[in-house]
Amino acid sequence: MIHRLLDDKRLGRAHSAAELQALIQGVLDGSVTRAQAAAWLAFVCCRGMTRDETVALTQAMTDSGDKLAWDGLSGPFIDKHSTGGVGDKVSLILAPVWVVMGMKVPMISGRGLGLTGGTLDKLEAIPGYNTRLQPEALRRQLEEVGCFICGQTDRLAPADRVIYALRDETGTVPSVPLITASILSKKLAEGIQRLVLDVKVGSGAFMKSEEDARALAESLAAVGRGAGLEVDVHLTDMSQPLGEAVGNALEVEESIRCLRGEGPADLHALVCQLSGDAARADAVLRSGAALPVFERMVAAQGGDLSVQLKGGGCEETVLRAERAGTVTRCDAEQLGLAAFVLGAGRVKASDDVHFGVGLRVHKKRGASVVVGEPLVTLVHDGSRGLDAARRHAFAAFEVSLG
Ligand code: URA
């Protein structure tokens, strides 16, 4: 069977849903070898997949493991996925906001690979926060708190873990159908009805050009709907960092400020936009009503917000404007690299992140500055990456006269 499927995909012919189910099963049980799977991934990368094939692949990957089910609990059940960016801490805020708005949020998130930490890395800056929950705990927490944010279990979409590792090894990550199936297979396994997608575009995003981001957004929306989800897609800016804080503990602090209604305007606005009811989310944030939900979620997962976040004791170095004018560039990628060299991100899944390091961005695009005003504060451990971070952070800014 596999040789015929390899021939078909090499020649650009579409697979049936049954063939894709068998292929994924074979990848998992080893009857399709790693070399065969890698060749198939390469053919998909070059030849693409139809929407129907992508729906079937997604479904096969979801069906490769357990699916969470919330029978007996009242929904609606909603989650969001962001393709990730510098300073993107929206999940920490949006989950409790949705709970106040009457929804349940079973959010399964990931750790970051690349410039900065992912949602789980941020939450793990809270001492005691447990990202590995048992199925009974998930249900109890959804019932009692209304949301959880935890990590993927071994039994959720296991085919994605195997295939993602092969894609990473063989340079076949950048394929819209493969990315779509990878993201959506995990979301479909959460037992949700609605999915909000935040596809970032700009220098700090996975998709740098609007054309690429749009293609991914359209694929995610069409395949998500094809698999039975209600999908809402947003293309949002990642040419500069989101909010002012970049770095794990720093972003937890900023999320808490935002939950008090005191967050930076762009972060507050994006949470409102993604919520699906901007006026209501704005009122929830301004009232502070979602903060106790966040606190209950953290406590239910073993976290202690009454003590200092992890990674404390860092030093601060302020970079100041060398000329007066208007900030015309505050580049997300360069600032992400600055945070990365300080230790906020990781290259391999097994690397540790430093919880305390990162940046506070004081001036973003459109702000006026005078000579000597702070542009960004580097929060660092005294030595690691400081010179390189300084170079990246300076390269991020452009100040134009007038
Ligand atoms: N995130 C995922 O989960 N999978 C991909 O393929 C890319 C980003």
Side-chain angles (χ1 to χ4, degrees):
M1 182 270 299
I2 182 63
H3 286 105
R4 186 172 52 75
L5 294 190
L6 286 171
D7 272 348
D8 282 346
K9 200 35 77 184
R10 182 171 48 79
L11 297 169
R13 291 196 288 256
H15 300 316
S16 69
E19 286 169 340
L20 286 162
Q21 282 280 357
L23 185 105
I24 293 304
Q25 192 49 47
V27 171
L28 267 185
D29 67 22
S31 57
V32 171
T33 66
R34 284 169 51 83
Q36 288 166 332
W40 181 78
L41 290 167
F43 295 149
V44 170
C45 243
C46 299
R47 292 294 196 171
M49 280 187 140
T50 65
R51 282 281 145 84
D52 285 349
E53 280 181 293
T54 314
V55 172
L57 175 66
T58 305
Q59 215 94 57
M61 285 167 55
T62 304
D63 293 346
S64 70
D66 291 351
K67 274 173 274 180
L68 301 175
W70 310 115
D71 316 333
L73 298 186
S74 59
F77 300 91
I78 190 167
D79 190 10
K80 75 127 201 166
H81 177 84
S82 158
T83 54
V86 179
D88 184 358
K89 69 281 286 173
V90 166
S91 294
L92 278 63
I93 307 157
L94 187 55
V97 165
W98 269 335
V99 172
V100 177
M101 288 167 66
M103 288 174 263
K104 298 238 170 31
V105 193
M107 191 178 274
I108 296 190
S109 286
R111 273 165 225 291
L113 273 189
L115 298 182
T116 58
T119 297
L120 296 185
D121 299 305
K122 292 167 199 183
L123 286 165
E124 282 183 344
I126 302 169
Y129 192 94
N130 175 19
T131 60
R132 294 177 70 91
L133 299 181
Q134 296 303 318
E136 320 77 68
L138 297 179
R139 168 172 277 273
R140 197 176 337 111
Q141 194 170 320
L142 210 53
E143 191 164 15
E144 290 172 5
V145 181
C147 61
F148 59 73
I149 305 181
C150 69
Q152 203 184 338
T153 66
D154 293 344
R155 299 166 57 120
L156 217 73
D160 176 60
R161 231 185 338 279
V162 177
I163 291 175
Y164 193 87
L166 278 169
R167 287 167 61 205
D168 200 28
E169 221 176 304
T170 55
T172 52
V173 170
S175 148
V176 166
L178 295 178
I179 297 169
T180 302
S182 169
I183 292 172
L184 291 180
S185 60
K186 290 171 283 198
K187 293 294 164 191
L188 282 166
E190 287 177 350
I192 52 171
Q193 293 136 4
R194 295 191 197 163
L195 178 62
V196 176
L197 294 161
D198 182 11
V199 179
K200 300 286 188 197
V201 57
S203 72
F206 182 48
M207 294 298 189
K208 312 267 184 228
S209 75
E210 175 145 355
E211 191 189 349
D212 288 348
R214 205 166 284 290
L216 179 59
E218 280 169 9
S219 171
L220 285 166
V223 174
R225 288 179 191 131
L229 290 176
E230 250 176 73
V231 182
D232 191 12
V233 196
H234 301 255
L235 226 64
T236 70
D237 180 45
M238 191 28 73
S239 60
Q240 63 178 351
L242 181 60
E244 292 159 10
V246 179
N248 300 300
L250 293 166
E251 292 191 43
V252 171
E253 287 166 0
E254 185 166 86
S255 300
I256 291 172
R257 278 199 297 283
C258 192
L259 284 162
R260 287 203 176 101
E262 296 161 6
D266 62 341
L267 177 61
H268 181 105
L270 183 61
V271 172
C272 294
Q273 179 188 338
L274 297 178
S275 75
D277 184 343
R280 192 136 171 241
D282 177 63
V284 170
L285 285 175
R286 286 181 198 285
S287 71
L291 181 57
V293 178
F294 178 76
E295 290 167 343
R296 281 202 293 279
M297 175 186 80
V298 169
Q301 295 190 221
D304 186 353
L305 283 166
S306 70
V307 296
Q308 198 187 32
L309 296 174
K310 290 184 200 164
C314 284
E315 295 175 31
E316 300 196 353
T317 298
V318 181
L319 304 190
R320 296 174 186 279
E322 290 173 347
R323 62 191 287 189
T326 303
V327 175
T328 48
R329 197 163 60 91
C330 168
D331 185 66
E333 185 173 33
Q334 288 299 328
L335 289 169
L337 283 165
F340 176 76
V341 295
L342 294 175
R346 63 162 70 75
V347 180
K348 303 192 297 302
S350 54
D351 294 344
D352 286 331
V353 296
H354 191 308
F355 291 109
V357 300
L359 320 170
R360 286 187 233 281
V361 183
H362 306 296
K363 297 287 180 185
K364 300 205 2 199
R365 230 171 23 238
S368 355
V369 284
V370 297
V371 174
E373 247 192 307
L375 291 174
V376 56
T377 299
L378 307 180
V379 181
H380 56 92
D381 72 1
S383 58
R384 176 170 166 189
L386 185 56
D387 288 341
R390 208 192 297 262
R391 280 195 300 278
H392 284 299
F394 265 127
F397 284 94
E398 192 173 86
V399 177
S400 301
L401 295 176

